[in-house]
């Protein structure tokens, strides 16, 4: 099934074009607003956890704090370090900021997906989706875009011509490249079950809680995805790239003014996007929470708008979780982060993916399910033992090499 | 052609260093340094032979090493400590602490301040435990005056109370900064919150949160205010629950343990060779605490345990400080029970100014008061050295007096200053993140380092 937006299938006329333009604008504005509120929400929530008050001067409950900060940063002097590579230095913030918004384009922001509905709505006589784009490659687009964001951070650190940002950018490239693998592999489990790459297709396949696939994707792939996404976002406890206490500011040490603000915005925008992606992949996106036939329906609200409400509610849970991480967890060390990624997350997601694939193949071909499960578990155990042996060998090698002074 | 043009860059370093042959203050890249400098930096502590060190120097010249300046403006150098690190990737090969950015000449200033005023000076050295500084200065002055056995009991126990509470507040500050350096930012606010409660009590007693000048030669500046016992009891009741929270937030946290266990390891011999004291020495398993081993005040009359570690790593130093808070609370409880009635300062007219009330009645008292505060009191010729256990280790004061009202020479053996030299040793071979953990676990106070 090609999940193209029905709006774009036929010949393009003025009305669909205008609808698309309005959608672009709305997604951009919603993205900016969400970022603004996320910054405020994080500062307020962390302040609460740390016995502080947090922003409370600008607007009601300090809700306009981000706006005030943004305006202030706009009027700050835009500094170029003398040793910076000027072109790359100027480009890097945009490389980080634009992908953050692009990834938001494929998230279904609403619509009625209940009972196998396709989530399409009719606007001005045109059938469309409440999402900017629904390309057939869907989730892969999000992955590709989030990989581009690595360049923003890496180039920012490299082009600053300074040592701390350089260390930050080295960390960034290693961290984000290695966690991308775990991210993609855990995502593959979801795609395997949904049978489609399109985000709206994945959401449509998750009508009730039982269809969220708690056992096959809800525990192992979800946790791996969550950890990998946190690392991909450079959020604590994986914020080694900025690591204030070690690298001063990491990759953005030399940045000032609006260029710094762009990095800041991109980080929070990415957090929102990643939470939305998690919700879309694992928790039914705009679907209401439904157990069997019972649906938590909000009366008086059209189902399509209700979808938006549910999406926001679910995203908020994850945003709060990210804030909670930041407030409580100490930062991992560079090598520990790599260990976690390569020695635990990637093998675990790979193993789980193989297990799921074997199960699926067995169902399709009508093989003995117990036998297949037993065989795959045996294979996994052997792989695990081999891996442990390899770890032990490398640890031995390291200890014989001796230390440097 | 002059002779200087022929010499290599490393030789230039040795000559330009004003009249000494100690080389440049800045750390140089490994490929540029001589075996001698490597020996000075690492070999001496490691007890390496000169041939072993010579094999190290210049051998890795093809390696891409990088010198990075950490500080004096850096978020985790606890003030203005400057560390020059030679990095290979993120691995710290060598480290050179550069100090002096907070040097205000306090020891020299001490020579022009009377013994009465000296307290205001020393209290600013280790600003995280000011009362211990005042205590050691007062004890040394009293020893010079020969009145160290005549201090009223109440004054002694007040000093003990304040000293232990100060240890608590200082260790709470460590909890805060250590948490922040490892990345648990909330911990910083929790630590400061609890410290604030202790400081609030200090403010009630001494009038100031820091730099109290409360413990003075002859006793303390004033008696404890009414209701002090309840304040302390409230504090003692509130703290254990908070410490239990720290245990959950940090001690039991797997990332926390990963970050600190096995990081910045120092052995007992190395710690002794580098004259480290305090939690750093105790973390190696050596139970050395002046409060028990060379008791001053009335520490021989209270019961407490000296906390020791077993691995000499950053985690041990963290847990030692956490548990020392508990031990200090135990001492404070005993002090509350034992606090005697009586004078809070010695009734020796030579050292003690007359009470405020007497000044209104008696001309002689007024003159006496004026003289003590302007000229100060004369201290017999001689020299004295007293060491006590501050939260950071062994703090000691040496005063040489020429019989005048000001010290001829005052020197403070600052534990932070001495402990800082263990840093290069503990950092070697670790990562940049470990370097931060090491700075944090040494817990230096730069005011005291530079004096």
């Amino acid at each position: 099934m090609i999940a193209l937006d029905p709006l774009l299938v036929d010949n393009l006329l003025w009305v669909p074009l205008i609808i698309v333009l309005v959608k672009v604008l709305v997604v951009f504005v919603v993205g900016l607003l969400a970022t603004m509120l996320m910054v405020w929400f994080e500062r307020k929530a962390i302040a609460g956890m740390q016995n502080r008050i947090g922003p409370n001067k600008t607007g009601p409950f300090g809700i306009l704090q981000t706006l005030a900060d943004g305006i202030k940063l706009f009027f700050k002097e835009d500094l170029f370090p003398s040793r910076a590579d000027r072109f790359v230095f100027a480009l890097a913030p945009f490389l980080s900021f634009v992908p953050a918004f692009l990834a938001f384009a494929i998230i279904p922001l609403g619509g009625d997906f209940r009972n196998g509905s396709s989530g399409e709505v009719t606007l001005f006589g045109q059938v469309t989706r409440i999402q900017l784009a629904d390309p057939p490659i869907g989730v892969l687009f999000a992955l590709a875009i989030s990989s581009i964001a690595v360049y923003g951070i890496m180039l920012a650190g490299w082009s600053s011509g300074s040592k701390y940002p350089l260390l930050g950018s080295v960390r960034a490239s290693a961290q984000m490249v290695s966690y991308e693998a775990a991210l993609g592999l855990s995502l593959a489990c979801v795609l395997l079950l949904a049978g489609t790459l399109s985000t709206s297709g994945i959401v449509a396949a998750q009508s009730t809680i039982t269809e969220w696939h708690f056992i096959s994707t809800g525990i192992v792939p979800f946790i791996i995805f969550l950890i990998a996404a946190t690392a991909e976002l450079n959020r604590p406890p994986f914020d080694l790239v900025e690591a204030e206490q070690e690298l001063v500011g990491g990759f953005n040490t030399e940045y000032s003014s609006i260029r710094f603000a762009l990095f800041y915005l991109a980080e929070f925008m990415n957090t929102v996007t990643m939470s939305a992606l998690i919700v879309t992949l694992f928790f039914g996106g705009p679907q209401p929470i439904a157990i069997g036939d019972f649906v938590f329906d909000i009366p008086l609200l059209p189902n399509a708008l209700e979808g938006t409400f549910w999406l926001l509610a679910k995203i908020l849970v994850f945003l709060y979780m990210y804030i909670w991480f930041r407030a409580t967890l100490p930062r991992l060390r560079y090598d520990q982060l790599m260990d976690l990624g390569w020695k635990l997350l990637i093998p675990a997601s790979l193993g789980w993916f193989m297990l799921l694939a074997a199960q699926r193949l067995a169902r399709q071909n009508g093989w003995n399910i117990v036998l297949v499960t037993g065989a795959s578990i045996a294979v996994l155990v052997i792989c695990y033992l081999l891996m442990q042996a390899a770890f032990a060998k490398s640890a031995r090698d390291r200890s014989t090499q001796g230390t440097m002074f | 052609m002059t002779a200087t043009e022929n010499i290599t860059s490393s030789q230039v370093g040795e000559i330009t260093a004003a009249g000494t042959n100690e080389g440049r203050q800045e750390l140089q890249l490994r490929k540029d340094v001589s075996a001698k400098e490597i020996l000075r930096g690492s070999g001496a502590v490691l007890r390496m032979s000169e041939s072993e060190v010579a094999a190290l120097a210049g051998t890795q010249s093809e390696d891409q090493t990088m010198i990075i300046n950490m500080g004096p403006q850096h978020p985790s150098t606890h003030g203005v400590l400057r560390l020059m690190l030679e990095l290979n990737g993120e691995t710290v090969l060598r480290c050179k602490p550069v100090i002096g950015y907070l040097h205000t000449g306090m020891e020299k200033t001490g020579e022009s301040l009377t013994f009465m005023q000296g307290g205001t000076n020393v209290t600013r050295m280790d600003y995280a435990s000011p009362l211990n500084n005042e205590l050691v200065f007062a004890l040394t002055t009293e020893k010079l005056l020969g009145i160290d056995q005549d201090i009223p009991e109440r004054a002694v126990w007040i000093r003990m109370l304040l000293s232990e509470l100060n240890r608590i507040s200082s260790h709470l500050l460590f909890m805060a900064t250590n948490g922040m350096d490892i990345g648990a930012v909330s911990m910083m606010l929790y630590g400061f919150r609890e410290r604030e409660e202790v400081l609030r009590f200090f403010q009630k007693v001494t009038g100031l949160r820091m730099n109290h000048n409360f413990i003075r030669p002859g006793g303390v500046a004033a008696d404890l205010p009414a209701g002090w016992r309840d304040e302390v009891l409230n504090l003692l009741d509130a703290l254990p629950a908070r410490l239990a929270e720290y245990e959950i937030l940090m001690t039991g946290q797997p990332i926390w343990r990963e970050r600190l266990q096995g990081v910045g390891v120092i052995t007992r011999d190395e710690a002794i060779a580098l004259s480290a004291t305090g939690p750093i020495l105790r973390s190696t398993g050596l139970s050395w605490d002046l409060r028990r081993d060379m008791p001053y005040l009335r520490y021989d009359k209270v019961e407490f345990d000296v906390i020791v570690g077993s691995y000499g790593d950053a985690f041990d130093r963290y847990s030692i400080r956490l548990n020392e808070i508990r031990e200090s609370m135990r001492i404070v409880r005993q002090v509350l029970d034992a606090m005697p009635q009586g004078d809070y300062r010695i009734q020796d007219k030579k050292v003690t100014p007359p009470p405020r009330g007497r000044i209104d009645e008696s001309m002689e008292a007024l003159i006496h008061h004026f003289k003590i505060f302007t000229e100060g009191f004369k201290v017999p010729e001689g020299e004295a050295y007293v060491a006590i256990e501050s939260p950071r280790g062994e703090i000691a004061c040496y005063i040489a007096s020429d019989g005048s009202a000001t010290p001829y020479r005052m020197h403070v053996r600052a534990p932070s200053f001495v402990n800082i030299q263990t840093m290069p040793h503990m950092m070697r071979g670790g990562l940049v993140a470990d370097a931060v953990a090491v700075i944090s676990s040494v817990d230096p106070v730069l005011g005291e380092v530079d004096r």
Side-chain angles (χ1 to χ4, degrees), chain A residues 46-52 162-168 170-171 236-240 243-249 323-336 339 403-405, chain B residues 30 46 48 56 60 63 66-71 74-76 87-91 93-94 180-186 189-190 193 249 253 255-256 258-259 263 428-429 431-434 436:
Chain A
I46 283 200
M49 292 179 196
Q50 297 177 340
N51 289 9
R52 296 184 284 120
S162 168
K163 283 170 183 172
Y164 282 109
L166 184 69
L167 281 180
V170 170
R171 285 179 174 192
F238 304 111
D239 60 338
L240 304 168
E244 184 197 312
Q245 286 80 20
E246 297 151 28
L247 301 183
V248 190
I323 294 170
W324 203 352
F325 284 169
R326 173 168 240 155
T328 43
L329 293 180
R331 184 182 301 112
L332 267 90
R333 205 170 57 204
Y334 183 58
D335 58 328
Q336 290 161 355
D339 279 0
T403 41
M404 285 183 299
F405 295 105
Chain B
R30 166 172 302 258
L46 295 174
M48 295 166 106
L56 272 178
Q60 297 174 332
D63 273 7
M66 172 167 86
I67 302 275
I68 196 164
N69 244 318
M70 199 181 243
H74 188 280
S76 60
L87 301 181
N88 181 2
E90 282 223 17
T91 313
L93 300 177
R94 290 186 299 151
M180 191 179 64
D181 287 339
I182 307 300
V185 184
S186 296
L189 287 127
Y190 299 152
R193 175 186 66 189
L249 193 66
Q253 162 64 248
I255 302 178
W256 181 264
E258 280 279 302
R259 278 299 304 279
V263 166
R428 191 174 302 120
L431 297 173
V432 177
D434 292 338
V436 172

Side-chain angles (χ1 to χ4, degrees), chain B residues 167 171 282 307 320-328:
Chain B
R167 194 178 314 277
H171 282 342
R282 287 196 285 274
I307 315 286
I320 284 174
R321 290 190 174 103
L322 185 63
N323 285 306
E324 276 186 6
I325 297 180
R326 298 202 167 103
E327 288 306 314
S328 288

Side-chain angles (χ1 to χ4, degrees), chain A residues 97-234:
Chain A
F97 177 73
V98 173
F101 274 87
L102 282 185
F104 204 57
I106 58 151
I107 306 292
L109 297 176
D112 181 16
F113 287 92
R114 289 180 206 182
N115 306 320
S117 320
S118 59
E120 286 162 357
V121 290
T122 311
L123 285 176
F124 307 107
Q126 303 283 333
V127 179
T128 183
R129 297 181 185 283
I130 310 186
Q131 99 188 61
L132 179 54
D134 188 18
I137 53 160
V139 180
L140 286 189
F141 176 78
L143 274 190
I145 288 296
S146 78
S147 325
I148 290 180
V150 183
Y151 285 102
I153 290 176
M154 202 182 80
L155 291 177
W158 175 79
S159 67
S160 296
S162 168
K163 283 170 183 172
Y164 282 109
L166 184 69
L167 281 180
S169 89
V170 170
R171 285 179 174 192
S173 33
Q175 169 182 343
M176 295 173 98
V177 166
S178 50
Y179 272 81
E180 203 117 285
L183 198 72
L185 281 171
S186 56
L187 198 107
C189 301
V190 180
L191 302 181
L192 196 69
L193 289 175
T196 172
L197 283 169
S198 145
T199 45
S200 61
I202 293 170
V203 169
Q206 298 178 335
S207 283
T208 61
I209 289 233
T210 45
E211 283 171 340
W212 288 3
H213 305 298
F214 270 126
I215 295 169
S216 50
T217 67
I219 302 168
V220 178
F222 165 66
I223 291 174
I224 293 173
F225 191 89
L226 185 71
I227 296 175
T230 316
E232 192 76 7
L233 292 171
N234 299 317

Side-chain angles (χ1 to χ4, degrees), chain A residues 92 159 175 195 235 252 275 281 293 341 364 379:
Chain A
S159 67
Q175 169 182 343
R235 295 272 310 176
N252 61 25
S275 308
L281 293 176
D293 287 336
Q364 272 177 0
V379 168

Side-chain angles (χ1 to χ4, degrees), chain A residues 7-182:
Chain A
L7 184 70
L8 307 173
V9 172
D10 296 323
N11 48 344
L12 285 176
L13 290 171
W14 279 111
V15 179
L17 260 182
I18 289 172
I19 290 182
V20 168
L21 282 179
V22 167
K23 278 208 278 188
V24 169
L25 195 69
V26 167
V27 164
F28 186 69
V29 169
V30 164
L32 272 183
L33 270 179
T35 313
M36 201 183 109
L37 291 179
M38 170 61 188
V39 174
W40 169 80
F41 179 53
E42 171 163 298
R43 293 181 63 171
K44 209 70 183 166
I46 283 200
M49 292 179 196
Q50 297 177 340
N51 289 9
R52 296 184 284 120
I53 295 169
N56 67 342
K57 293 283 184 266
T58 42
F61 307 107
I63 206 160
L64 297 178
Q65 184 64 43
T66 324
L67 202 64
D69 288 346
I71 292 171
K72 188 200 83 170
L73 280 171
F74 245 113
F75 290 105
K76 288 282 171 185
E77 187 185 354
D78 189 12
L79 287 168
F80 277 92
S82 58
R83 287 215 245 160
D85 181 324
R86 291 183 71 94
F87 175 70
V88 182
F89 189 80
L91 177 74
F94 296 101
L95 273 184
S96 150
F97 177 73
V98 173
F101 274 87
L102 282 185
F104 204 57
I106 58 151
I107 306 292
L109 297 176
D112 181 16
F113 287 92
R114 289 180 206 182
N115 306 320
S117 320
S118 59
E120 286 162 357
V121 290
T122 311
L123 285 176
F124 307 107
Q126 303 283 333
V127 179
T128 183
R129 297 181 185 283
I130 310 186
Q131 99 188 61
L132 179 54
D134 188 18
I137 53 160
V139 180
L140 286 189
F141 176 78
L143 274 190
I145 288 296
S146 78
S147 325
I148 290 180
V150 183
Y151 285 102
I153 290 176
M154 202 182 80
L155 291 177
W158 175 79
S159 67
S160 296
S162 168
K163 283 170 183 172
Y164 282 109
L166 184 69
L167 281 180
S169 89
V170 170
R171 285 179 174 192
S173 33
Q175 169 182 343
M176 295 173 98
V177 166
S178 50
Y179 272 81
E180 203 117 285

Side-chain angles (χ1 to χ4, degrees), chain A residues 405, chain B residues 10 28-39 42 48 50-65 86 93-94:
Chain A
F405 295 105
Chain B
S10 62
Q28 285 171 284
L29 284 175
R30 166 172 302 258
K31 61 182 161 72
D32 299 329
V33 296
S34 59
K36 212 173 146 193
E37 170 127 13
I38 297 258
L39 179 69
S42 23
M48 295 166 106
E50 283 194 29
S51 57
E52 281 173 305
V53 173
L56 272 178
T59 51
Q60 297 174 332
S61 54
E62 71 275 13
D63 273 7
Q64 295 281 315
T65 60
E86 184 179 21
L93 300 177
R94 290 186 299 151

